[in-house]
Amino acid sequence: MCFGLANQGHAEDGYDLWLRYQPLESSAKARYEPLVTHLVAPNARPTIRAATDELQRGFKAMFGYDLVQRETLMGNGAVLVTRADSPNLKGLDLPFAKLGEEGYLIRTAVIAGNRTTIIAGNSDVGTLYGVFRFLKLLQTGQPIDNLDIVDAPKLKVRVLNHWDNLDRHVERGYAGQSLWDWQKLPLHKDPRYTDYARANASIGINGTVLTNVNANADILRPDYLQKVKALAEVFRPYGIKVYLTARFSAPIELGKLKTADPLDPQVQAWWKAKIDEIYSVIPDFGGLLVKANSEGQPGPADYKRTHAEGANMLADALAPHHGILMWRAFVYAAENAEDRHKQAYTEFQPLDGKFRDNVLVQVKNGAIDFQPREPFHPLFGAMPKTPLMMEFQITKEYLGFATHLAYLGTMWEEVLEADTFRPKKGSTVAKVIETPVDAGAATGMAGVANIGSDRNWSGSQFDQANWYAFGRFAWDPDAKAEAIARDWAAMTWGREAADPVVRMMMGSREAVVDYMTPLGLAHLMATGHHYGPGPWVSDLARPEWNPVYYHKADAAGIGFDRTAKGSDALSQYAPEVVKAWGSPKTIPENLLLWFHHLPWDYRTKSGRTLWDELVTRYDAGVDVVGKMQADWAALRGKVDETRWAEVRDFLAIQHAEATWWRDASIAYFQSISKRPLPAGHKPPAHDLEYYKAISNPYAPGQGK
Amino acid sequence: MCFGLANQGHAEDGYDLWLRYQPLESSAKARYEPLVTHLVAPNARPTIRAATDELQRGFKAMFGYDLVQRETLMGNGAVLVTRADSPNLKGLDLPFAKLGEEGYLIRTAVIAGNRTTIIAGNSDVGTLYGVFRFLKLLQTGQPIDNLDIVDAPKLKVRVLNHWDNLDRHVERGYAGQSLWDWQKLPLHKDPRYTDYARANASIGINGTVLTNVNANADILRPDYLQKVKALAEVFRPYGIKVYLTARFSAPIELGKLKTADPLDPQVQAWWKAKIDEIYSVIPDFGGLLVKANSEGQPGPADYKRTHAEGANMLADALAPHHGILMWRAFVYAAENAEDRHKQAYTEFQPLDGKFRDNVLVQVKNGAIDFQPREPFHPLFGAMPKTPLMMEFQITKEYLGFATHLAYLGTMWEEVLEADTFRPKKGSTVAKVIETPVDAGAATGMAGVANIGSDRNWSGSQFDQANWYAFGRFAWDPDAKAEAIARDWAAMTWGREAADPVVRMMMGSREAVVDYMTPLGLAHLMATGHHYGPGPWVSDLARPEWNPVYYHKADAAGIGFDRTAKGSDALSQYAPEVVKAWGSPKTIPENLLLWFHHLPWDYRTKSGRTLWDELVTRYDAGVDVVGKMQADWAALRGKVDETRWAEVRDFLAIQHAEATWWRDASIAYFQSISKRPLPAGHKPPAHDLEYYKAISNPYAPGQGK
């Protein structure tokens, strides 16, 4: 037993994420051993060291003994961890030209008579990514005898957004507190920060925005910049840059200026000096993320300036340092009678081409707010002269918090594969965000993190899959959700459990859609915390905060008419989309009530009336959870008991809450439709008043 | 490698607390093996199972193989884990009569020819405590060949007080969030709750108050009682009862009554029904803890009733269920010109004898508020007809939060050994709280917990020692701080490091006294969060919240005259104490300025003037931290690297903050004393305005 290691056999708890490096089966070990006999890493630069540390860690855990490290290749089975410019690779004619800055190749080759696995990129970070890929091959039992892998990320900026406050509360966080222990930084760098960096590097995430988009200027204080610097030092070897959110009014709050007008020379000077200060402390600082003039946040409109004027002022201060400015397009005004769905497009599209090269406009996947299903955001494809980046939400604010099993890979694949038809057929959302608008422009994807201080990082075992999948989609927006799920399941649960686990995952998101917001319904959650159903809510200050605004249920029917007969939000899409979605008969039924208000008796594709179909979907969703419970029960003994029990408990919670959503929604909508439940579907357990009276004042993630 | 165990060798991180069960050195193993050959536990009642599980866990980790369990004694080396009424123990004439309900004996004996170690109590919980004692012997390398241990707790109620809010914020918590994940209870019982129970059982803690004394009535909601029930189920086998805090206005908030007057029949009926409801859900519920008419909390005085009337109303509702009511004596009114030090005594002493038998009046160790040093509370010994229990603060609200190394065992020993002289010499505080006021009365001790969701439970490795020590003092108020430290250090750091660790610990509390509040000064911390120095603060709404109220520094001198010439708070003590402390010449110098206002030139025992002595003490405190840093550096390689590094980092933080306290305090007091620093003592690094301008708005534990 090694000195310094915890002596009691600690049960698995999810801390190791998908990097569990479980002991190999003897047959796999026998296959691999001749091919991985020693490690050669000619350079001990920090990132190469991070790479070899990981390889050593993984090898030791999987093979049961240390991987010998040698100065030079000494026989067959060398693993050469190096960089494109290594003399070892001379004359091999390897395709480094295809890799870009962060790509890697893994090639089986013979070098000076030694059968070698080469892992290398143009940069050390590329090599690090290659090592993680190699470890994944081992973890998933893939052959490694004849490798010819070439991989490079399709997006440049692949970042997490932590909605973390300085008091360590995580807004919409269901995994404990913020990881960043500001109180103890900079003098104490928690070892957990390194494990965070490892996990992100393993999925190619190369940046992290440390603070909430509902920003706090205090992060820009000199003492906090020292704390940020300490984090940057931990992340740097793993190729991860740090970013911060910038509160637009910081010149007033911190600078004691009288204005934050982006065209005011004093304001510009203040930001320039502040940004120069940041770079003097953190030379490779990534840049800033801004939420402005949205949900009460300050911004350029407070001074009658445009988003572009606000963004460009910051971008200009960042440009000499090669920093980027991510500017969110999530806007909807309090005093705007226009359908909320339309407002971001209305505000941003006319600004196309007006942003600086180093600005990325960050657009949520859909035009409302991270609902279980949303059609893709009409801005994708509509701003061909502006770098747009995708914003996904990994944390399950609207999909059941930490306890509901919902694999979001299927949601993200659906969005990324959607055809914007702009400029033409085949212009998928993925293609739009992958294609730089000009030679120097950036591309990117952001994910609102589900990571916190909980031992299992993400609040639940299965929520780790969404973090994992986000990294994989950021690397390759054309990736497939099922293949990603398979990789994750094999590494996280073991190969014996992988198939059933993948099946559970692939049906899970749709189950949530069905028991919460079927058939294109949306935004029907309880107020504030968004925990549990609240389709009756109609009393919030802003109309477009109310669930009734979204479902518009009345005696005649249900749904939001967004066609030309209604709000005409549909017209913001390409003509091909307008045509396909404009008719209830041709729109995919899972978007039906997103765009159409239809009678309760409307005949759906199944032959059932709309009302009957609604009820059927609610029950189908709950039934899928029941099926997951049965599938999971069957896996007992095939996975470790402690993690198995946590998932079992969470599925029980999910089933209870799915039933609650189903019962409350049916009770409410039936009070409006006044139609009987279809045969075979039980009435809700309680009356509507019971559901309306439920209060959960301490549900997590409320932002305070 | 066992299936289900985390495969990578995880570095120690403190999760195992003092229950690390490190592998035995070969010589110890050889000594022990013949004496621990098999386990016999004739009964599988839940608590016996908890005991044998622990024994198996510890044995496996220490010896490296499983401890054989047999149905009956089969040869020498049996460990018999049983209860007093076991037939196996017939005729052995064991001293069970001395054990009371929770005590245990460990006896080496020969039973039917088998050399046996008997571990037994009158109850299963006593036996459980005995098993933990036995494991401690093994962990600390004690002989086990001829055991004759008899041990029983001297206090009946040994409880933690968690100042945990329902949103999981911990008031004055520096170890993460509340452990209680209310959102996921009752369906998910985190395995961590069991480890919490094990740790507490290992030190004899038999109760836990789950919620903040700044209470929230919502914990009494039926749905929350189900969550509490789930926790009670986890803790029950470990002999730990659950308690809750009761907000005195709950009849209004929850019951929708118009009053909370304890003499109102409807109010009484409401509490009776609510308490009956609690017991219908949790039959062995411990009882309630109340903070009333203190710092804004509601209470009987709102209706012109006394503390006794308020407490007795609740006690009467608890009595049929054998529940207890703990009522805090921590009161000081907003509109009271009397010295805060006097107010609790003034309010409570006249109520002596007026409380029901099942009430315990909970008294802080001193009359102000958990300062680094306080003289014992004058109520101890002054209420001979009322059960008084001690309240210590384990969490280091005023001693540097989680990062400052400060072993509080020396503080608590000092308080417990203090002679109240009531009714006579030798009536130590320990004796007062150990002696039931009558046959049926309870005795007890409460500790404000330092436990949270941090992996290391208590915020730092060394803060675990204070949790440990609290349990040891609650079991035996006459225990010795150094012996406790030695046990803890041997188990937590290993025997090689124990001596230097104990030396560090034994000097640590006094170092904090010296660099924060030397010579009997008190309450000089910054506002709100209590993080860092604020001796200049004079602008808070209530006079007795201001540091200046406490030090009363002026051109003439410094200190609070509490003698007859001043506030006369001293007169609340016994005449012997009044005499000893009434003169600056006879009072222990570490209480000097607590009771006396003296000139800056007053000649102290060292020969130095008071001003010079003050400065000398500040520097002495900082120097002790520097010495601890050196001692700790010398331990590198003798303890595991990860925990070593955390302590190293925290000592660096402590040294920086001790220096900050020292510099800011000197800068401020020098502006008043107007005297030069004694030779050899450096001026503060910055001017007073610098220190006054420091702000730390996000320091943890602020109660929101």
Side-chain angles (χ1 to χ4, degrees):
Chain A
M1 191 65 63
C2 285
F3 178 68
L5 300 180
N7 190 40
Q8 296 163 53
H10 278 149
E12 288 212 62
D13 52 18
Y15 185 81
D16 291 333
L17 296 163
W18 49 88
L19 301 176
R20 289 160 69 242
Y21 304 137
Q22 287 291 96
L24 296 169
E25 290 164 13
S26 43
S27 58
K29 191 172 168 184
R31 261 192 300 135
Y32 289 153
E33 275 180 325
L35 302 166
V36 193
T37 59
H38 61 289
L39 163 65
V40 179
N43 227 296
R45 291 184 298 267
T47 298
I48 296 293
R49 254 210 331 276
T52 56
D53 281 353
E54 193 71 26
L55 193 50
Q56 294 283 19
R57 171 199 289 254
F59 186 94
K60 172 85 182 259
M62 288 189 283
F63 287 77
Y65 54 89
D66 291 320
L67 176 60
V68 173
Q69 188 152 355
R70 302 231 181 264
E71 295 292 318
T72 59
L73 304 168
M74 291 183 60
N76 288 327
V79 177
L80 175 61
V81 172
T82 185
R83 201 170 61 182
D85 57 356
S86 163
N88 277 305
L89 305 181
K90 251 185 154 77
L92 290 173
D93 198 32
L94 296 166
F96 285 106
K98 294 184 177 178
L99 302 184
E101 248 182 71
E102 291 172 293
Y104 58 87
L105 54 83
I106 309 179
R107 176 77 71 94
T108 309
V110 176
I111 300 179
N114 305 291
R115 195 183 169 86
T116 306
T117 302
I118 301 164
I119 306 175
N122 286 318
S123 67
D124 290 341
V125 171
T127 303
L128 174 67
Y129 293 151
V131 164
F132 274 109
R133 177 70 172 270
F134 184 68
L135 285 163
K136 182 172 77 144
L137 297 175
L138 296 174
Q139 283 212 79
T140 56
Q142 304 303 312
I144 60 167
D145 54 308
N146 196 11
L147 292 168
D148 186 3
I149 292 169
V150 173
D151 201 358
K154 291 181 182 172
L155 297 175
K156 190 163 177 302
V157 176
R158 307 180 299 281
V159 293
L160 290 175
N161 290 178
H162 289 270
W163 287 359
D164 294 17
N165 293 343
L166 295 184
D167 64 1
R168 299 190 73 187
H169 180 85
V170 180
E171 192 167 338
R172 309 308 177 188
Y174 314 106
Q177 296 184 298
S178 174
L179 278 182
W180 325 130
D181 192 344
W182 300 112
Q183 179 76 5
K184 301 193 184 80
L185 286 161
L187 284 175
H188 179 57
K189 291 168 174 171
D190 192 321
R192 192 150 193 191
Y193 304 151
T194 301
D195 290 331
Y196 166 90
R198 290 176 46 237
N200 280 313
S202 78
I203 50 178
I205 285 171
N206 66 3
T208 177
V209 187
L210 300 173
T211 50
N212 198 346
V213 290
N214 292 322
N216 184 333
D218 282 342
I219 192 61
L220 304 175
R221 282 170 36 159
D223 57 342
Y224 273 87
L225 292 179
Q226 290 300 318
K227 300 169 191 283
V228 174
K229 172 186 179 182
L231 291 171
E233 287 167 351
V234 175
F235 301 156
R236 187 170 292 119
Y238 292 90
I240 298 164
K241 288 187 178 181
V242 298
Y243 298 75
L244 298 173
T245 48
R247 187 155 160 89
F248 206 78
S249 52
I252 300 172
E253 287 152 355
L254 279 192
K256 308 300 177 206
L257 302 186
K258 299 262 187 291
T259 176
D261 179 348
L263 267 53
D264 181 299
Q266 271 196 305
V267 169
Q268 293 171 354
W270 187 86
W271 277 113
K272 179 182 185 312
K274 176 54 70 180
I275 287 167
D276 287 350
E277 177 190 353
I278 295 173
Y279 278 93
S280 72
V281 173
I282 307 164
D284 59 350
F285 182 67
L288 301 170
L289 167 63
V290 177
K291 171 180 179 178
N293 295 120
S294 169
E295 296 183 329
Q297 291 298 307
D302 302 341
Y303 308 97
K304 304 197 177 349
R305 310 294 184 195
T306 68
H307 287 289
E309 286 172 318
N312 292 342
M313 181 269 294
L314 291 171
D316 286 344
L318 288 162
H321 305 283
H322 310 293
I324 63 170
L325 194 281
M326 298 170 287
W327 188 271
R328 285 174 101 225
F330 176 59
V331 292
Y332 59 108
E335 309 72 34
N336 188 336
E338 189 180 56
D339 176 4
R340 175 179 174 181
H341 200 286
K342 304 181 75 175
Q343 294 184 29
Y345 183 105
T346 301
E347 209 165 315
F348 272 82
Q349 203 288 323
L351 298 171
D352 187 33
K354 294 189 158 51
F355 293 90
R356 298 282 193 264
D357 283 347
N358 61 331
V359 174
L360 279 156
V361 173
Q362 184 167 311
V363 181
K364 291 189 181 186
N365 56 282
I368 295 300
D369 189 18
F370 295 139
Q371 295 302 291
R373 168 165 285 109
E374 302 202 11
F376 66 91
H377 203 299
L379 276 175
F380 290 116
M383 293 182 75
K385 293 180 282 191
T386 306
L388 297 187
M389 64 186 286
M390 171 64 74
E391 179 179 325
F392 284 135
Q393 189 180 44
I394 307 169
T395 185
K396 299 192 349 288
E397 175 180 356
Y398 295 103
L399 283 105
F401 293 11
T403 46
H404 294 215
L405 197 163
Y407 172 52
L408 303 183
T410 51
M411 174 199 286
W412 300 336
E413 182 186 290
E414 179 181 311
V415 172
L416 291 163
E417 288 189 338
D419 198 334
T420 71
F421 289 90
R422 284 174 162 154
K424 55 188 203 266
K425 185 168 155 61
S427 300
T428 59
V429 170
K431 191 157 187 161
V432 167
I433 64 172
E434 284 164 12
T435 310
V437 301
D438 61 48
T443 56
M445 187 184 289
V448 180
N450 67 355
I451 301 161
S453 63
D454 276 2
R455 183 67 177 167
N456 62 25
W457 297 91
S458 296
S460 70
Q461 308 302 322
F462 274 90
D463 275 337
Q464 299 177 354
N466 293 328
W467 175 9
Y468 180 82
F470 170 75
R472 295 286 304 270
F473 278 114
W475 183 274
D476 179 8
D478 302 296
K480 289 300 182 196
E482 183 160 358
I484 293 170
R486 186 160 302 284
D487 276 348
W488 178 81
M491 289 190 286
T492 307
W493 294 106
R495 292 166 63 209
E496 193 185 356
D499 282 351
V501 164
V502 170
R503 280 195 301 272
M504 286 169 63
M505 290 169 72
M506 292 303 287
S508 59
R509 175 272 190 123
E510 206 62 36
V512 177
V513 170
D514 278 349
Y515 61 72
M516 287 191 184
T517 48
L519 295 172
L521 287 172
H523 203 280
L524 306 185
M525 68 291 164
T527 302
H529 46 54
H530 299 169
Y531 172 58
W536 48 79
V537 172
S538 59
D539 61 352
L540 302 179
R542 293 171 59 160
E544 76 286 9
W545 281 348
N546 286 311
V548 298
Y549 172 97
Y550 292 91
H551 62 68
K552 300 200 185 307
D554 56 28
I558 184 173
F560 198 129
D561 189 337
R562 290 194 161 102
T563 70
K565 297 184 324 339
S567 76
D568 205 25
L570 186 51
S571 69
Q572 291 181 338
Y573 290 91
E576 294 90 336
V577 175
V578 175
K579 183 155 187 280
W581 294 355
S583 159
K585 292 300 167 200
T586 52
I587 192 170
E589 207 160 65
N590 62 18
L591 291 177
L592 189 65
L593 305 179
W594 187 281
F595 286 102
H596 300 278
H597 184 87
L598 296 168
W600 296 109
D601 295 328
Y602 173 83
R603 196 63 54 178
T604 67
K605 289 185 172 129
S606 68
R608 287 181 279 268
T609 63
L610 179 55
W611 166 247
D612 284 2
E613 187 64 21
L614 202 63
V615 175
T616 302
R617 292 299 180 94
Y618 282 124
D619 274 328
V622 175
D623 288 348
V624 168
V625 181
K627 174 101 185 16
M628 288 202 291
Q629 288 180 291
D631 290 345
W632 192 253
L635 281 171
R636 189 172 204 174
K638 297 190 166 60
V639 302
D640 56 287
E641 184 68 10
T642 301
R643 290 188 305 153
W644 179 87
E646 181 193 299
V647 176
R648 173 209 55 206
D649 289 350
F650 286 14
L651 286 169
I653 293 172
Q654 183 174 13
H655 194 271
E657 294 185 356
T659 302
W660 169 29
W661 269 92
R662 178 263 183 211
D663 281 353
S665 303
I666 286 176
Y668 172 67
F669 286 126
Q670 190 172 39
S671 75
I672 299 178
S673 76
K674 302 207 188 308
R675 280 157 171 72
L677 293 179
H681 295 269
K682 295 201 184 81
H686 302 275
D687 64 16
L688 181 56
E689 289 318 300
Y690 172 91
Y691 296 110
K692 285 183 170 182
I694 290 173
S695 87
N696 287 291
Y698 312 106
Q702 295 184 59
K704 48 174 172 57
Chain B
M1 191 65 62
C2 286
F3 178 66
L5 299 180
N7 190 41
Q8 296 162 53
H10 279 148
E12 287 212 62
D13 51 18
Y15 185 80
D16 291 332
L17 295 163
W18 48 89
L19 302 176
R20 291 159 69 243
Y21 303 137
Q22 287 292 94
L24 295 169
E25 290 165 12
S26 44
S27 59
K29 192 171 166 185
R31 263 192 299 135
Y32 288 153
E33 275 180 326
L35 303 165
V36 192
T37 60
H38 61 289
L39 163 65
V40 179
N43 228 296
R45 291 183 298 265
T47 298
I48 295 294
R49 252 208 336 273
T52 56
D53 281 354
E54 193 71 26
L55 193 49
Q56 294 283 19
R57 171 200 289 256
F59 185 93
K60 172 83 181 260
M62 288 188 284
F63 287 75
Y65 54 90
D66 291 320
L67 176 60
V68 172
Q69 188 153 356
R70 303 230 181 266
E71 294 293 318
T72 58
L73 303 170
M74 292 184 59
N76 288 327
V79 177
L80 175 60
V81 173
T82 185
R83 202 170 61 184
D85 58 355
S86 163
N88 276 305
L89 304 182
K90 251 187 155 76
L92 290 173
D93 196 32
L94 295 167
F96 286 106
K98 294 184 175 177
L99 302 185
E101 248 183 72
E102 290 172 293
Y104 58 86
L105 55 82
I106 309 179
R107 176 77 70 91
T108 309
V110 177
I111 300 179
N114 304 292
R115 194 182 170 86
T116 304
T117 301
I118 301 164
I119 305 176
N122 287 320
S123 67
D124 289 342
V125 171
T127 303
L128 174 66
Y129 293 151
V131 165
F132 275 109
R133 177 69 173 271
F134 183 68
L135 285 163
K136 183 172 77 145
L137 297 175
L138 296 174
Q139 283 210 80
T140 55
Q142 302 306 312
I144 61 167
D145 54 308
N146 195 12
L147 292 169
D148 186 2
I149 292 170
V150 173
D151 201 358
K154 290 181 183 171
L155 297 175
K156 191 162 178 301
V157 176
R158 306 179 300 280
V159 293
L160 290 175
N161 289 178
H162 288 271
W163 287 0
D164 293 17
N165 293 342
L166 296 184
D167 65 0
R168 297 190 74 185
H169 180 85
V170 181
E171 191 166 340
R172 310 307 177 188
Y174 313 106
Q177 297 183 297
S178 173
L179 279 181
W180 324 130
D181 192 345
W182 300 112
Q183 179 75 3
K184 300 192 184 83
L185 286 162
L187 284 174
H188 179 57
K189 291 168 175 170
D190 193 320
R192 194 152 191 188
Y193 304 150
T194 301
D195 290 332
Y196 166 89
R198 289 177 47 237
N200 280 312
S202 78
I203 50 179
I205 284 171
N206 66 4
T208 177
V209 188
L210 300 173
T211 48
N212 197 346
V213 290
N214 292 321
N216 185 333
D218 281 342
I219 192 61
L220 304 174
R221 284 171 32 160
D223 56 342
Y224 272 86
L225 292 179
Q226 291 300 319
K227 300 170 191 279
V228 175
K229 173 186 179 183
L231 290 172
E233 287 165 351
V234 175
F235 300 154
R236 187 170 292 119
Y238 292 90
I240 298 164
K241 289 187 177 181
V242 297
Y243 299 75
L244 297 173
T245 49
R247 188 156 160 90
F248 206 77
S249 52
I252 300 173
E253 287 152 354
L254 278 193
K256 309 299 176 208
L257 301 187
K258 300 259 188 293
T259 177
D261 180 347
L263 267 52
D264 181 299
Q266 271 195 304
V267 170
Q268 294 172 354
W270 188 86
W271 278 113
K272 180 182 185 312
K274 176 55 69 180
I275 286 167
D276 288 349
E277 177 191 352
I278 295 174
Y279 279 93
S280 72
V281 174
I282 307 164
D284 59 350
F285 181 68
L288 300 170
L289 167 63
V290 178
K291 170 180 179 177
N293 295 121
S294 169
E295 297 183 329
Q297 290 299 307
D302 303 341
Y303 308 96
K304 304 198 178 349
R305 309 294 183 196
T306 67
H307 287 289
E309 287 173 316
N312 292 343
M313 182 268 294
L314 292 171
D316 287 342
L318 287 162
H321 305 284
H322 309 293
I324 65 170
L325 193 282
M326 297 170 287
W327 187 272
R328 284 174 101 227
F330 177 60
V331 293
Y332 58 108
E335 311 72 33
N336 188 336
E338 188 180 55
D339 177 3
R340 177 179 173 180
H341 201 286
K342 303 182 74 177
Q343 295 185 29
Y345 182 104
T346 301
E347 209 165 316
F348 273 83
Q349 202 289 323
L351 298 171
D352 188 33
K354 294 188 157 54
F355 293 92
R356 297 282 192 263
D357 283 349
N358 61 330
V359 174
L360 279 155
V361 173
Q362 184 168 313
V363 181
K364 291 190 182 186
N365 56 283
I368 295 299
D369 188 19
F370 294 140
Q371 296 301 293
R373 169 166 286 110
E374 301 201 10
F376 67 92
H377 202 297
L379 276 175
F380 290 117
M383 294 182 74
K385 294 180 281 191
T386 305
L388 297 188
M389 64 186 285
M390 171 65 75
E391 179 180 323
F392 283 135
Q393 188 180 44
I394 309 170
T395 185
K396 300 198 338 295
E397 175 181 358
Y398 295 102
L399 284 104
F401 293 10
T403 45
H404 294 214
L405 197 162
Y407 172 51
L408 303 182
T410 51
M411 175 199 285
W412 301 335
E413 180 186 292
E414 180 181 309
V415 173
L416 292 162
E417 288 188 337
D419 199 334
T420 71
F421 288 90
R422 283 173 163 155
K424 56 189 203 266
K425 185 168 157 62
S427 299
T428 59
V429 171
K431 191 155 187 164
V432 167
I433 65 174
E434 284 164 13
T435 310
V437 301
D438 60 49
T443 56
M445 185 183 290
V448 180
N450 67 355
I451 301 161
S453 62
D454 276 3
R455 183 67 177 167
N456 62 25
W457 297 90
S458 297
S460 70
Q461 307 303 322
F462 274 90
D463 276 337
Q464 299 175 355
N466 293 328
W467 175 9
Y468 179 83
F470 171 74
R472 294 287 303 270
F473 277 114
W475 183 274
D476 179 6
D478 302 293
K480 289 299 182 197
E482 183 159 357
I484 293 170
R486 187 159 301 285
D487 277 347
W488 178 81
M491 290 191 286
T492 308
W493 293 108
R495 292 165 63 206
E496 192 185 358
D499 282 350
V501 164
V502 170
R503 279 195 302 272
M504 286 169 63
M505 291 169 72
M506 293 303 288
S508 58
R509 174 273 189 122
E510 206 64 35
V512 177
V513 170
D514 277 349
Y515 61 72
M516 285 190 184
T517 47
L519 295 172
L521 287 172
H523 202 280
L524 305 185
M525 66 291 164
T527 302
H529 46 55
H530 300 168
Y531 173 58
W536 49 79
V537 172
S538 59
D539 61 353
L540 302 179
R542 293 170 59 162
E544 76 284 10
W545 281 348
N546 286 312
V548 299
Y549 173 97
Y550 293 90
H551 63 67
K552 299 201 187 305
D554 57 26
I558 184 172
F560 198 128
D561 189 338
R562 291 195 161 103
T563 70
K565 297 183 327 335
S567 78
D568 206 23
L570 186 51
S571 69
Q572 292 180 338
Y573 291 91
E576 295 90 335
V577 177
V578 175
K579 184 154 188 278
W581 293 358
S583 160
K585 294 299 168 201
T586 52
I587 191 170
E589 207 160 63
N590 61 18
L591 291 177
L592 188 65
L593 305 179
W594 187 279
F595 287 101
H596 299 278
H597 185 88
L598 296 168
W600 295 110
D601 295 328
Y602 173 83
R603 195 66 53 180
T604 67
K605 290 188 171 126
S606 67
R608 285 182 280 269
T609 63
L610 179 56
W611 166 248
D612 284 3
E613 186 63 22
L614 201 63
V615 175
T616 301
R617 291 300 180 94
Y618 283 125
D619 275 327
V622 176
D623 288 347
V624 168
V625 181
K627 173 102 185 18
M628 289 201 290
Q629 288 180 290
D631 290 345
W632 192 254
L635 282 171
R636 189 173 202 172
K638 297 190 167 60
V639 301
D640 56 286
E641 185 67 10
T642 300
R643 290 187 306 154
W644 179 87
E646 180 193 300
V647 175
R648 173 207 56 205
D649 289 351
F650 287 13
L651 286 169
I653 292 171
Q654 183 175 14
H655 194 272
E657 294 184 356
T659 303
W660 169 29
W661 270 91
R662 177 261 184 213
D663 282 351
S665 304
I666 287 176
Y668 172 68
F669 286 126
Q670 190 173 39
S671 74
I672 299 177
S673 76
K674 301 206 189 309
R675 282 157 170 71
L677 294 177
H681 294 270
K682 294 199 184 82
H686 302 276
D687 64 17
L688 181 56
E689 290 316 300
Y690 172 91
Y691 296 109
K692 286 184 168 181
I694 290 173
S695 86
N696 287 293
Y698 312 107
Q702 295 184 59
K704 47 176 174 51

